[in-house]
Amino acid sequence: MINNEKLLITVRAELKSSALSAYEKNLIQILLDSDQAHIFSNWAPPGEATDEKKALLADLSTVESSYPGGITAYINNARTLLAASKDGVNPFSGYQPEQPDTVDLTSLDDTYSEYEDVAMKNMDKIAVALVAGGLGERLGYPGIKLNIPVETLTETTYIQHYSTVILAMELRTGKPGSVPMIIMTSRDSHEKTMTALTENNFFGLQESQVTILKQELVPAIADNDGHIAMHGPYSVTLKPHGHGDIHMLMHTSGTAERLITDGKQHLLFIQDTNGQVFNAAFAAIGASIKHNLDFNSVAVNRIPGEAVGALTKLNNGDKCITINVEYNQLDPLLRSTVSPEGDVPNEKGFSIFPGNINVLVANLNTYAKVLKDSGGIIAEFVNPKYKDDTRTSFKKPTRLETMMQDLPKLFKSGENVGVTIFDRCWCFSANKNNIIDAKAKHEQGGPPESAATAESDFYLAGRMKLQLAGNTVNEHSEELILGIPFTRGPKVILTPRFALSIGDVKQKIRNLEMSDESTLILDGEDINIDGLKMSGSSALVIRTEKDAKVSIKDKEISNTGFELILLTDDDSSETAPEYLKIRGFKFKNRGAEILEFNTPGNYEV
Ligand code: UTP
């Protein structure tokens, strides 16, 4: 409550003055009613510093209009969560952890292909949501992460790669524009994402199939009473609300309902820099369909104690939910309930609680219902860093956050929640860390998750697909570049147009033999290989336009291909673009055979 008479007078005068609009004055009143008078404590008299005042109110009006229930609801939620946090309420109290229901697709065998086939037959019922509002502080890239090339041979960026997958999905439906793509941006990424889309003609997608949902920042909270933090007389401190905003925005924008009306049944959630995601996504969608899952998390095997969120079934007798439990919460929970030894390895050395990688598949009907029931606010949490054990003041302002994997926290019981486990480098290799941190992570035995490892794994997935199709692919040994592991070959890029499933590769490539430094890039719908031998550092690139059918039979390739050049050995290293600097190497074409077929027809090579 306002207890400072002078302040009260200033604010009242502000409400009477003509400098601010009726909307702005109403917003001030809402803030006063929520005990936020301190916001105005250093304001100049009415009529002065009007632009600054309007800017501050504009920041808060975005919160008022975007957060369900407005600023008042945000502050009330903050107070409730901060009180629970102060009292040390254990969110898992009364729950027993159990192994979640899993589908194990770590073997890329015939069963795996069956799961993929189920999704392939349901392409017209899938939509894709890409969360791309993150700051990317750990990577420190001077642009949006979506604009970074996944690999540097074709320099296909993440956003382009995801778009080409969607276009390839549409080749299966025969209906251009039929696979919706939802992209969540934020203040930090919105403009650059829009520029990338518009300057590239939406990468071949129809503008109408792309929905952009912009997440807004939320006010930071300074204390347990829910006072909004300030960092100047006219500046409130704003912070990201987390990737769980995708759910809120899917609800408030009506997008979830619209997708259902358009006949979509499953929504796949992906991150901004995971070039591996579509290796596994279709089999995961297949698992959702086959096992009638309301929610399905793509997961990887986890070693006990590994710093990855653990997918856990929690049961308290009344309610049973499968959710992501942070690894540092899992061990104490296990020790205090079912396992005095904590998280222990199974016979294969893995925890029975698989690791969450934030690739999720939601059944849209269940999803829309949960959103409606919750008003779109998905399991917010607060994580204040307290100054001391009294838990009365914070080291720095905190804020409410949401995580997209927390959606099942809102499930009542009875929803069918599953976990589909994949081989890690097949389904996940993100580009999150700068080279210094990536090197340190590697030295500590963890995944570096850097641009170089993401690129290396991208080629690895290509090799795996060729090997699964029975071809001979000799692998080069791993080396360290800037202290980060990289495998220089063979480099294999099978674009989504060429193959979306392992079955596609099996159908199109036979009797291929690749040396450990060779390169193969296939970008076309109708390329067939039966008999191809690539020696030394040879490279073959085939690109086709629509209706150009290319057959390669009993061919031998020997050329100087692509040379890997370390930036440290190169004169131009200082001026190299940032997307190369974050890798430490580049490729130079020294004589790759590049075949382009731009007109329809049948071609034999
Ligand atoms: P990350 O964990 O990679 O976080 O987010 P980040 O914020 O991008 O990077 P750091 O932590 O600052 O280094 C996982 C995914 O969630 C998105 C990111 O864009 C990424 O695709 N995200 C994250 C959002 O869309 N919004 C957010 O508020 C946070």
Side-chain angles (χ1 to χ4, degrees):
M1 284 292 110
I2 307 167
N3 50 19
N4 179 331
E5 200 52 32
K6 191 167 153 255
L7 170 60
L8 194 60
I9 292 166
T10 313
V11 182
R12 278 204 191 118
E14 197 70 67
L15 291 176
K16 281 192 193 132
S17 92
S18 56
L20 301 178
S21 70
Y23 176 84
E24 289 162 335
K25 288 180 194 169
N26 186 42
L27 194 56
I28 292 178
Q29 191 57 57
I30 289 172
L31 290 160
L32 292 178
D33 292 346
S34 294
D35 189 22
Q36 304 293 331
H38 67 286
I39 292 178
F40 315 103
S41 57
N42 290 311
W43 274 28
E48 292 177 30
T50 306
D51 288 348
E52 289 89 335
K53 291 174 185 171
K54 280 180 176 289
L56 177 145
L57 292 169
D59 275 342
L60 290 172
S61 82
T62 332
V63 186
E64 175 66 9
S65 58
S66 63
Y67 190 87
I71 290 187
T72 312
Y74 178 78
I75 292 165
N76 286 340
N77 289 345
R79 286 185 186 134
T80 308
L81 288 167
L82 284 165
S85 170
K86 181 169 186 281
D87 294 345
V89 173
N90 176 359
F92 304 121
S93 173
Y95 281 100
Q96 298 261 340
E98 296 172 8
Q99 180 170 13
D101 299 331
T102 57
V103 178
D104 189 332
L105 294 182
T106 48
S107 298
L108 304 172
D109 53 13
D110 288 347
T111 308
Y112 185 96
S113 292
E114 281 168 26
Y115 279 89
E116 274 196 333
D117 288 346
V118 172
M120 294 296 144
K121 292 190 185 100
N122 284 277
M123 286 298 181
D124 55 340
K125 301 189 186 74
I126 299 169
V128 179
L130 163 63
V131 292
L135 285 171
E137 273 176 329
R138 286 170 288 172
L139 185 63
Y141 189 73
I144 53 167
K145 289 187 275 175
L146 282 178
N147 270 347
I148 302 174
V150 186
E151 38 76 19
T152 48
L153 283 173
T154 70
E155 298 186 340
T156 300
T157 60
Y158 281 99
I159 188 165
Q160 186 178 4
H161 173 61
Y162 298 143
S163 303
T164 57
V165 172
I166 287 182
L167 290 170
M169 289 169 73
E170 288 169 359
L171 288 175
R172 307 247 165 182
T173 65
K175 289 181 233 154
S178 62
V179 179
M181 163 121 131
I182 296 103
I183 307 178
M184 183 170 78
T185 60
S186 66
R187 233 183 233 218
D188 300 304
S189 64
H190 185 77
E191 292 306 325
K192 287 179 178 150
T193 307
M194 291 312 295
T195 305
L197 286 167
T198 46
E199 282 185 353
N200 293 285
N201 204 12
F202 282 71
F203 300 99
L205 298 173
Q206 294 179 10
E207 202 174 329
S208 57
Q209 80 189 97
V210 180
T211 304
I212 306 288
L213 301 175
K214 185 178 166 201
Q215 66 176 145
E216 296 297 345
L217 301 172
V218 289
I221 302 289
D223 54 35
N224 281 332
D225 294 327
H227 288 121
I228 291 175
M230 306 285 295
H231 62 273
Y234 305 103
S235 306
V236 288
T237 307
L238 297 168
K239 293 198 175 186
H241 191 225
H243 41 63
D245 269 356
I246 183 68
H247 303 310
M248 180 171 90
L249 293 170
M250 287 291 296
H251 175 63
T252 51
S253 65
T255 309
E257 289 291 345
R258 177 168 55 78
L259 293 179
I260 294 171
T261 311
D262 292 347
K264 306 302 163 197
Q265 291 178 356
H266 287 93
L267 179 60
L268 169 74
F269 295 91
I270 63 172
Q271 298 191 39
D272 50 15
T273 66
N274 181 11
Q276 310 300 83
V277 63
F278 283 102
N279 298 326
F282 296 116
I285 292 167
S288 281
I289 298 171
K290 229 169 133 80
H291 300 284
N292 206 10
L293 299 176
D294 291 302
F295 195 71
N296 181 13
S297 299
V298 173
V300 296
N301 276 318
R302 238 182 98 249
I303 293 158
E306 203 180 333
V308 184
L311 290 155
T312 312
K313 191 189 262 192
L314 295 177
N315 197 340
N316 70 357
D318 292 334
K319 191 174 171 184
C320 183
I321 50 168
T322 297
I323 56 164
N324 179 71
V325 176
E326 289 309 320
Y327 73 98
N328 50 348
Q329 294 177 313
L330 178 70
D331 202 66
L333 176 66
L334 286 166
R335 283 177 198 279
S336 65
T337 52
V338 291
S339 168
E341 303 84 39
D343 193 5
V344 288
N346 64 11
E347 66 288 353
K348 290 183 181 157
F350 299 123
S351 165
I352 59 164
F353 305 101
N356 168 51
I357 60 160
N358 261 353
V359 177
L360 312 163
V361 184
N363 172 306
L364 268 162
N365 279 319
T366 313
Y367 182 62
K369 189 175 173 313
V370 169
L371 293 184
K372 205 166 159 216
D373 292 350
S374 64
I377 306 239
I378 299 300
E380 277 178 323
F381 64 95
V382 69
N383 188 14
K385 305 281 177 282
Y386 295 106
K387 275 194 184 143
D388 55 41
D389 290 347
T390 62
R391 294 182 165 237
T392 43
S393 49
F394 313 154
K395 285 185 185 157
K396 57 178 186 176
T398 187
R399 89 292 204 168
L400 301 191
E401 290 178 71
T402 63
M403 300 195 293
M404 66 174 174
Q405 66 269 33
D406 279 345
L407 183 83
K409 284 189 179 165
L410 298 180
F411 289 172
K412 298 278 185 300
S413 219
E415 287 88 354
N416 198 3
V417 181
V419 173
T420 311
I421 309 178
F422 294 86
D423 177 65
R424 182 175 300 214
C425 53
W426 177 251
C427 66
F428 184 71
S429 183
N431 178 1
K432 282 185 197 288
N433 297 309
N434 61 61
I435 45 178
I436 310 286
D437 294 347
K439 175 174 182 277
K441 280 178 189 290
H442 174 64
E443 284 163 358
Q444 287 153 16
E449 293 181 356
S450 71
T453 49
E455 175 156 356
S456 195
D457 288 337
F458 197 71
Y459 301 140
L460 167 67
R463 291 196 291 275
M464 287 167 77
K465 290 173 193 172
L466 293 179
Q467 283 160 342
L468 287 164
N471 300 291
T472 308
V473 180
N474 297 302
E475 191 149 314
H476 202 281
S477 53
E478 195 173 86
E479 64 195 281
L480 292 181
I481 298 178
L482 302 178
I484 300 163
F486 183 80
T487 305
R488 67 167 67 203
K491 298 174 282 300
V492 178
I493 301 176
L494 309 175
T495 67
R497 278 179 72 214
F498 174 77
L500 268 190
S501 68
I502 296 173
D504 290 344
V505 184
K506 284 186 177 163
Q507 230 177 47
K508 293 180 178 181
I509 307 188
R510 283 174 303 279
N511 300 315
L512 165 70
E513 209 179 305
M514 292 188 78
S515 63
D516 66 353
E517 275 204 65
S518 55
T519 303
L520 180 65
I521 302 175
L522 300 177
D523 180 19
E525 284 162 60
D526 220 335
I527 303 170
N528 283 280
I529 295 178
D530 186 1
L532 174 65
K533 190 168 175 190
M534 306 188 64
S535 57
S537 58
S538 298
L540 174 64
V541 181
I542 303 181
R543 290 198 185 97
T544 69
E545 288 296 326
K546 197 169 176 295
D547 296 327
K549 191 174 165 154
V550 178
S551 300
I552 295 192
K553 187 120 182 77
D554 302 329
K555 188 172 163 76
E556 286 199 16
I557 302 256
S558 176
N559 60 46
T560 38
F562 294 96
E563 185 191 356
L564 186 145
I565 299 170
L566 298 179
L567 290 193
T568 42
D569 293 346
D570 191 57
D571 292 346
S572 62
S573 62
E574 282 300 305
T575 53
E578 194 60 28
Y579 70 84
L580 293 178
K581 284 187 183 160
I582 59 173
R583 293 167 156 90
F585 63 83
K586 67 179 181 181
F587 290 109
K588 188 138 181 75
N589 184 355
R590 298 284 187 206
E593 184 164 344
I594 299 177
L595 306 174
E596 294 190 334
F597 300 88
N598 298 325
T599 38
N602 288 338
Y603 301 91
E604 298 243 336
V605 180

